[in-house]
Amino acid sequence: MVADSSKSSRLNVMQQKNPESGIGWQIDDLLLEPDIRQLSRNGQLIRLPALSFEVLRVLATSAPEPVSVQALIDAAWQGAVVSDETVTQRIKLLRQALGDDGRNPQYIEAVRGRGYRLLSVPVKHAGNRHSNHFKAGLVTVILLALVIGVFSARYFSSQPPSELANSVAGSATAQDYIQQANEYLSRHQQLDNGLAINLFRQAIDLQPDNPRAVTGLSQALTQSVTKFNADQQRLYEAQALAEQIIANHPQLYNGWLALAASLDGQGAVVPAIEAYQQALSISPQHIGAKASLGYLYQVHGELVKALRLNLEVFGSADQLHYWYLQVAQILYLLGFDPAAEPLLERTDELQPDNVFAAENRARFLLVNRRFEEAEQVLNNAVQRGVMRSELWLELGLLDLLRDDLPAAELRFDQALQVEPENGQAQAWPLIIKAMRGQLDESQYQHKINVMQMDIQAGDSWPSSYLQVASLQAAYGDHSAALDTIEQLYPAGFRDHRMLMLWPTFAALLSDERFQSEIARMQQDIAQQRDAVLRADWVPRELLFAQPVPPATHNQ
C-alpha cells in the first residue's frame, strides 16, 4: 500500500527526530521523560493520567518561572473551556500522585497571583525509555503477540556464527537487541514498550536495514500510541518504517503487517484492510493477520467475512485475547443477541482490565435499554482502576439517554481529563454546549472543519462520521447532519439500533432521509444474517442460546 501525497508530506516531517528524544529531566528525585511520557522515582514508575503528566511537563518546561493558570489551560488543556477550579483540582491530583504537600511543598509551589512553579530546576538527564499510556488498539494487540513470537523463536537459528561468537564474548549485537526488544514488546506493558523501542533503535544503529529491527520498531511505535496513549505522530513514523521495509522486501509479510497496524491506528480502515490482505497473500495461515483482518471487516460492515475469519482462528483463541469479544460484536450486529450476551459477559468477567470488554458490554445493554445494568458494568470497570476515556464517554451517553444533561457534562469532562487528546472527548463538551444553544457559529464551524479535515486526511473510522453528525444535529444543522449520516453506511456503520437511540438524533427520527439510511442498514444486516444462517461453516450452537429445530438451519 503506497501512502497518498498528504500522508507522505506528514511522514517527511515525522522522520525528523524529536529534539528531546531519549532525554529526561531530573527534578529533585523525579525523572521526567517527556518523549515517552513517563515519570519515575528511583527507578519506580509513578503512574499519572495523561492530563496530570502534561501539567507537570508544562511546569518543567517553564521552571523556575511560574506558569499562570491561563497558560496552563492553554498548554495542557489545549484550548478547552475549563475553570480555574479545574486547574486547582488537577494540581491537587498531581501533588497526591507525587506525595507532595501543598502546605509544605517539595515539588510544586503555588505563587500567589502568578500561578504555579516547580521548586527544583530540571536538569537534563539521559534516562531509560519506558511508556506509560493507555490507548486501545484492538487490532495491534491481536497482531503483536503472534508476530513477536515468530521473531523470538527464530533468533538462535538465524544468528550468524560470527555474531554468536561476539555475543558470547560480551559485545551486544543487533540480534541481541532485537531478541530482547521482542521479549519486552510481547509483554504489552507500558514500561516494556519503551524499553523495546530503545532496543530496536539500538539494533538499527548497528544494522540500519535489518528487516526485523525496522518492522519491530514500527510495531512498537504503533503499540505505544494505540495501547499506551503516546503521541499520535508516532504512527506516521511507524508507517514510514513499514513502507521502507516493503520497498526493499516486498515479500516480507511482517512489513505488510506493520503497515496495516500503523494505518489502522490512524483510522485508515480500507488501506489497513488492503495491507492485511497483502500479508495473507504471502502467508495465508498467519493467525494474527486473520484475526486483525476479521476485526477490520467487522468495522467496515462486512460481517460474514469477519465471522468466517474469526472462526478460522478459533483453535488459537487462547492466544487471541479478544476473540470472544470480536465474535460477540459480530453476533450482536447480526441480531443474535442471546448468543452475543454470554460472550460479552465472559470477556468482561475474565478480563477485568480490558476497557473494550466493559465498553462493548455496556453498549449492548444500552441498546437493549437496560440502563442500570450498563451503568453498573461501567462503574465496576472504573472502580477496578481502568482509567480510559471510553468508560466516561459511555457513562455520559447513558446520562444523555436519561435526559440528564448536567450529569453528562461532568462525565464528558472526566473523559477529557483522562485523555485530553481523544477526539471524542474533545467533541462532546461542544455537543453539550450546542444542545443548550450556547455554541456560537465560529466555534461550531471551526470544530466541524477540523473533524472533516481529519476524515479527508484518511480517518475513515465510522465513529468519526458519527461524531460529526452528532455535532451538526445538536447545533440544529439538520440538513448537514443528514448528509453526514448518509456517509455512515459506505464507511461500514451497521448498528442501526444504536443510531435510532443516539440522543442527538431524536429530532431526525421521522425524517425520510434518516429512515432511508436505517432501512438500508437493516436490509444489509438481514441479507448478511441470512447468509450466516445458510453457511455450513457456522456452528449452530454459536448462533442460538438454545438448540433449534433442524428445519430452522436452512431458513
Side-chain angles (χ1 to χ4, degrees):
M1 184 66 192
V2 179
D4 61 30
S5 58
S6 62
K7 288 178 184 172
S8 298
S9 63
R10 288 182 286 173
L11 293 176
N12 291 336
V13 174
M14 263 310 300
Q15 292 179 51
Q16 303 174 21
K17 289 192 175 182
N18 183 341
E20 293 177 351
S21 180
I23 299 298
W25 293 335
Q26 193 73 45
I27 308 169
D28 201 326
D29 60 348
L30 302 174
L31 177 59
L32 178 69
E33 296 175 276
D35 67 323
I36 55 173
R37 302 178 71 84
Q38 177 194 292
L39 179 70
S40 58
R41 179 190 289 120
N42 300 323
Q44 296 297 312
L45 180 67
I46 299 174
R47 302 183 185 279
L48 290 181
L51 190 54
S52 295
F53 187 95
E54 188 62 18
V55 168
L56 181 59
R57 187 196 66 78
V58 173
L59 293 174
T61 302
S62 301
E65 295 300 316
V67 182
S68 70
V69 170
Q70 186 57 52
L72 275 174
I73 291 172
D74 292 342
W77 278 265
Q78 300 181 354
V81 179
V82 298
S83 66
D84 290 4
E85 179 60 24
T86 298
V87 178
T88 301
Q89 291 303 314
R90 179 55 52 179
I91 292 291
K92 181 179 178 181
L93 290 172
L94 178 55
R95 280 173 167 160
Q96 289 174 351
L98 300 179
D100 202 11
D101 184 350
R103 293 168 296 182
N104 185 27
Q106 177 182 353
Y107 303 110
I108 301 172
E109 179 186 42
V111 182
R112 183 179 297 275
R114 300 186 64 191
Y116 300 91
R117 69 167 182 167
L118 292 183
L119 287 171
S120 297
V121 178
V123 178
K124 285 191 176 181
H125 172 87
N128 292 329
R129 304 177 66 161
H130 307 286
S131 180
N132 184 36
H133 295 278
F134 292 88
K135 177 156 181 156
L138 186 53
V139 177
T140 307
V141 172
I142 292 168
L143 178 66
L144 283 174
L146 291 136
V147 174
I148 293 163
V150 173
F151 280 161
S152 299
R154 293 180 179 173
Y155 166 64
F156 284 109
S157 63
S158 64
Q159 185 170 234
S162 60
E163 292 204 7
L164 182 59
N166 289 337
S167 180
V168 172
S171 58
T173 67
Q175 301 300 337
D176 291 327
Y177 288 125
I178 293 168
Q179 182 195 26
Q180 191 59 53
N182 282 322
E183 170 63 24
Y184 281 127
L185 192 58
S186 67
R187 297 175 185 173
H188 298 281
Q189 298 296 321
Q190 306 99 290
L191 290 172
D192 298 318
N193 175 272
L195 290 171
I197 289 174
N198 243 6
L199 290 167
F200 280 129
R201 292 197 190 279
Q202 288 175 278
I204 291 171
D205 286 341
L206 293 176
Q207 293 182 0
D209 298 321
N210 186 303
R212 290 192 293 162
V214 176
T215 55
L217 178 57
S218 174
Q219 291 160 348
L221 290 169
T222 296
Q223 186 192 71
S224 74
V225 179
T226 59
K227 189 171 175 62
F228 306 127
N229 203 30
D231 192 326
Q232 296 278 330
Q233 295 297 314
R234 286 189 175 191
L235 291 171
Y236 303 125
E237 183 183 359
Q239 180 182 346
L241 290 166
E243 289 174 342
Q244 170 191 327
I245 287 300
I246 290 170
N248 297 326
H249 306 277
Q251 291 305 307
L252 184 66
Y253 70 85
N254 282 315
W256 291 101
L257 292 177
L259 176 62
S262 68
L263 291 168
D264 169 61
Q266 297 171 50
V269 177
V270 174
I273 286 174
E274 292 171 351
Y276 279 123
Q277 290 172 334
Q278 186 65 34
L280 283 173
S281 73
I282 299 169
S283 181
Q285 300 307 315
H286 192 284
I287 295 171
K290 282 187 175 182
S292 298
L293 180 57
Y295 176 67
L296 286 183
Y297 276 149
Q298 175 217 313
V299 171
H300 201 241
E302 300 176 78
L303 306 179
V304 178
K305 290 182 181 179
L307 184 60
R308 182 155 198 168
L309 279 178
N310 274 283
L311 293 180
E312 286 180 10
V313 302
F314 177 73
S316 300
D318 58 329
Q319 300 177 35
L320 298 175
H321 198 54
Y322 292 95
W323 189 89
Y324 290 101
L325 179 56
Q326 287 185 239
V327 172
Q329 289 174 309
I330 297 166
L331 294 176
Y332 156 71
L333 289 169
L334 289 170
F336 295 107
D337 284 14
E341 185 167 8
L343 296 180
L344 290 168
E345 290 177 355
R346 175 191 179 115
T347 307
D348 188 32
E349 291 168 0
L350 295 181
Q351 299 173 20
D353 63 338
N354 183 341
V355 65
F356 296 114
E359 178 192 18
N360 283 281
R361 185 182 179 190
R363 179 63 62 92
F364 174 89
L365 295 168
L366 279 180
V367 169
N368 285 281
R369 297 181 180 274
R370 293 156 61 182
F371 292 170
E372 291 185 4
E373 292 175 71
E375 185 172 27
Q376 187 64 52
V377 166
L378 294 166
N379 284 333
N380 286 345
V382 171
Q383 291 167 9
R384 291 194 298 264
V386 183
M387 291 301 293
R388 291 290 301 269
S389 63
E390 289 94 334
L391 301 178
W392 296 103
L393 291 172
E394 208 69 20
L395 283 165
L397 184 62
L398 173 61
D399 289 327
L400 286 182
L401 291 173
R402 290 169 164 167
D403 295 322
D404 191 344
L405 212 60
E409 186 174 27
L410 292 174
R411 308 276 204 185
F412 294 139
D413 180 65
Q414 184 65 41
L416 191 61
Q417 290 188 41
V418 172
E419 287 188 72
E421 294 183 3
N422 183 294
Q424 293 191 45
Q426 293 172 355
W428 272 110
L430 294 178
I431 292 172
I432 293 292
K433 287 185 68 175
M435 294 175 74
R436 287 176 165 158
Q438 298 173 350
L439 187 66
D440 63 49
E441 185 176 0
S442 62
Q443 288 179 303
Y444 167 70
Q445 290 296 343
H446 173 73
K447 186 60 179 178
I448 290 294
N449 290 339
V450 169
M451 291 193 291
Q452 290 178 336
M453 284 174 63
D454 287 342
I455 291 173
Q456 292 166 5
D459 181 2
S460 56
W461 210 263
S463 59
S464 300
Y465 294 95
L466 184 62
Q467 205 68 39
V468 173
S470 297
L471 180 55
Q472 291 169 328
Y475 187 72
D477 196 351
H478 291 171
S479 178
L482 290 166
D483 289 342
T484 305
I485 288 170
E486 287 173 348
Q487 298 178 60
L488 284 171
Y489 182 90
F493 190 90
R494 294 294 183 273
D495 195 353
H496 55 86
R497 290 186 286 175
M498 189 69 239
L499 198 62
M500 289 189 289
L501 192 63
W502 202 253
T504 59
F505 297 157
L508 304 178
L509 289 176
S510 60
D511 188 280
E512 184 177 332
R513 293 172 64 189
F514 187 87
Q515 288 296 323
S516 177
E517 289 306 301
I518 294 295
R520 182 156 66 146
M521 293 178 193
Q522 290 173 330
Q523 181 179 5
D524 182 74
I525 289 295
Q527 291 173 349
Q528 294 199 64
R529 179 185 168 96
D530 183 64
V532 167
L533 286 169
R534 292 175 180 276
D536 58 8
W537 44 265
V538 181
R540 311 315 298 171
E541 60 269 21
L542 178 67
L543 303 179
F544 299 97
Q546 300 293 330
V548 294
T552 307
H553 291 189
N554 297 319
Q555 288 181 354

